[in-house]
Each structure stands twice: as C-alpha cells, then as structure tokens.
Amino acid sequence: MTQPRIAVAPLDAPEHVCQAIHDGGGRLVDAADADGLVWTDPHGPHGLRDLLDEHPTIRWVQLPWAGVEAFAAAGVMDGGRLWTSGKGMYAEPVAEHALALGLAGMREMKRYARASSWEEEAGISLVRGRVTIFGGGGIARHLVRLLEPFECHVTVIRRRPDDIPGADNVIGFDRRYEALKGADVVFLTHALTDETAGTIGSVELELMEPHSWLVNVARGEHVVTEDLVVALREDVIGGAALDVTEPEPLPEGHPLWELPNCLITPHVANTEDMAQPLLAGRIAENVRRFAEGKDLLGPVHVELGY
C-alpha cells in the first residue's frame, strides 16, 4: 500500500491536524507534491481555489466543517476531485445541545434564571410530546436516539423521505407545513442550501402551536430573524432557543437578547475542545481509507453543496 502524500494549508494549521495525518499512515508534504489536502481556513474559499488551480494533482480535499456552503457558493468545489467535510462528525455533541436547548426552553429556564423572586409556575413537558425535526443527517439521527426515553412522536423532514430508525414518520421537504401543526418543539438540524434558506418565516411560525418552541442548531439563515422577533413579541409561538443566528454574531442590543421567550447560546453546540479529537479521528480514518482506495467518510455532494 502506497503511503498517501497529504498537505495541510494554510501552513499555520493546528498541530493535531498534522498529527492526525501521521496517525492515519500519511506523509506530510508540500502542496506541490500532494495527492490530498486538509484545508483549515474557514474564511478562505478563494485561497483554496487559488491553491488548487496551482496544484491540479491534488485529488482529495478534506474540509473540517460540517457546513461548507461558503465553499459551494464560491464555486470552489468541483466534480473532478473527492471532497469530504465534517458532515456527521460533530453530530453527537450538537444533538445533545439541541435537546438541552429544547428542554430549557420548554421548562422556561431563562425566565427562572433571571428571576429575583419566587415565580409563578410555567412550562410544558417533553414526555410523550410531539417533535418535528428538519434534516435527516447525523444530528437528526442522534437526536432521535436521545429522544427515545421521552416516548415522543417524532416526525423527520428531509429531502429524501427514507426511513430513519426511531422516527415515527419521515416526510419530504414539500410536506413540511403539515409537520409544524401540533408539534411541541421544532428542531432545525438540516444543511443550508438555496432551498432551505428561510425555512422558518412568518407563514411557518403562524402554523406552529402557541406553546411550541423552535430550536435552531443548524444555520442562522434557516430562520427569517425579523419574522421571528415579531412572532416572539406577539406570543405567536412559545419561544425560540438558538445556537445560531442571522446575523452572527448577534449584535449587542439586538431585540432577541432581551425577549424573555428567546434563549441564545453563541454557536457553542460543538466547542473547540469537543471538536479536536473528533476532527483528528476523521482525518486519520480518511487518510487510511484514501490509501486503501475505500469510500471516504463525510463525502460532499458537489451538485447539492453539502
């Protein structure tokens, strides 16, 4: 088996990335001599395009992030190479955070945490509730598994309505409106594409129940922020728990910060400490698979952009 030649760029990449290449049996080389590349600059799609144009022998590119829409929008990804991302890699911690946000919201934790006197009772239970999840990838699958002890009725909305273990119902994106009605909590876990941008706006919020909570751990652009602010102010829905926002970071003084029925965490569903071992394991495994000619983990569908 030939030792794969892998480059890392930019050159100031974290040491654990370089170590993962060695752990996978690869040899760290300059881009001019590389068959594969690990790219670590989230703000550098144009820099990546320039590097690939300069070194056309690179056959495989590993991106560390689950969401690669910026690279798709910049036209960097092409069908002539293998492309892999962090798809599914961070699913467990993100699903855990999504469930924590949902429970905290439904149990009115923000209001209680801010209180300085004994408050009136409030909140709803998730046990045997109705849950709707947008997305059928790793986050959604792990979230379905975490929901099992709650005995919820779970509906999953995905592009292809294939079965998902543990879900009671799986439907296509074109039927999403029917899954908003009656849901106690709606989770957003799906990829950001032209089709899914603005998934939740005024129409969708009106379809949700007055007590329902919206939880977003995917991308801020899935939600029309102005519509959400209006819905929360007018109690159209019970509340929103957001790990991602549009814009992001959410500016100081933005109305979402002060709304009592809006709980915000600053895009921390997957922290750097959580991500490092997961990323290192993914890179090492994909280097091994690349050397053996096996299918790589986290393949990017270039035509779909994720």
Side-chain angles (χ1 to χ4, degrees):
M1 181 174 62
T2 303
Q3 186 180 33
R5 301 174 300 171
I6 310 296
V8 174
L11 296 178
D12 59 350
E15 177 57 32
H16 67 272
V17 171
C18 300
Q19 184 60 49
I21 292 171
H22 290 297
D23 292 344
R27 180 159 59 96
L28 201 58
V29 298
D30 292 334
D33 302 315
D35 301 308
L37 170 72
V38 180
W39 180 261
T40 63
D41 182 3
H43 307 295
H46 298 293
L48 175 56
R49 182 168 57 197
D50 292 343
L51 186 145
L52 293 176
D53 287 344
E54 187 177 348
H55 304 293
T57 57
I58 293 173
R59 297 184 287 115
W60 162 49
V61 179
Q62 171 74 58
L63 300 173
W65 314 282
V68 295
E69 58 271 7
F71 292 82
V76 177
M77 296 187 291
D78 61 83
R81 293 182 173 90
L82 293 172
W83 290 84
T84 54
S85 70
K87 188 190 312 184
M89 184 167 57
Y90 310 116
E92 288 184 331
V94 176
E96 177 187 34
H97 195 76
L99 180 57
L101 286 176
L103 289 170
M106 295 171 74
R107 289 289 185 161
E108 301 279 356
M109 291 301 180
K110 179 176 180 178
R111 184 165 65 86
Y112 288 134
R114 287 184 165 188
S116 58
S117 61
W118 205 257
E119 293 278 325
E120 293 183 3
E121 65 179 44
I124 57 175
S125 175
L126 183 60
V127 176
R128 289 180 288 279
R130 300 185 70 84
V131 172
T132 293
I133 302 173
F134 281 79
I139 299 172
R141 291 171 183 270
H142 284 291
L143 182 55
V144 169
R145 192 175 68 192
L146 291 176
L147 288 167
E148 286 180 6
F150 294 90
E151 301 179 13
C152 297
H153 183 280
V154 179
T155 297
V156 173
I157 302 168
R158 59 182 310 200
R159 188 172 58 86
R160 295 189 311 274
D162 302 328
D163 288 343
I164 290 179
D168 297 279
N169 196 21
V170 182
I171 62 176
F173 192 73
D174 58 332
R175 295 175 56 195
R176 60 193 180 278
Y177 296 124
E178 64 191 71
L180 294 171
K181 300 175 182 177
D184 297 301
V185 58
V186 176
F187 292 96
L188 306 184
T189 74
H190 51 322
L192 180 65
T193 65
D194 291 342
E195 182 184 20
T196 64
T199 293
I200 301 294
S202 58
V203 171
E204 291 78 12
L205 291 163
E206 289 286 349
L207 289 172
M208 292 172 61
E209 300 298 319
H211 69 271
S212 181
W213 273 74
L214 174 70
V215 178
N216 189 6
V217 293
R219 286 290 183 266
E221 292 88 343
H222 286 313
V223 178
V224 181
T225 302
E226 294 78 6
D227 293 349
L228 179 62
V229 169
V230 172
L232 293 176
R233 282 175 170 165
E234 298 180 0
D235 294 322
V236 173
I237 63 172
L242 312 171
D243 188 53
V244 291
T245 60
E246 173 55 37
E248 187 173 311
L250 193 65
E252 185 176 346
H254 193 282
L256 285 177
W257 286 118
E258 296 302 322
L259 287 168
N261 54 352
C262 186
L263 177 62
I264 299 170
T265 55
H267 207 149
V268 292
N270 177 57
T271 66
E272 186 66 23
D273 286 343
M274 298 175 199
Q276 279 193 16
L278 298 172
L279 175 59
R282 170 64 62 87
I283 291 172
E285 179 61 23
N286 269 349
V287 170
R288 279 190 287 269
R289 289 172 176 247
F290 185 67
E292 297 169 3
K294 295 181 178 179
D295 290 341
L296 304 183
L297 301 178
V300 174
H301 302 288
V302 174
E303 69 281 3
L304 298 176
Y306 64 90

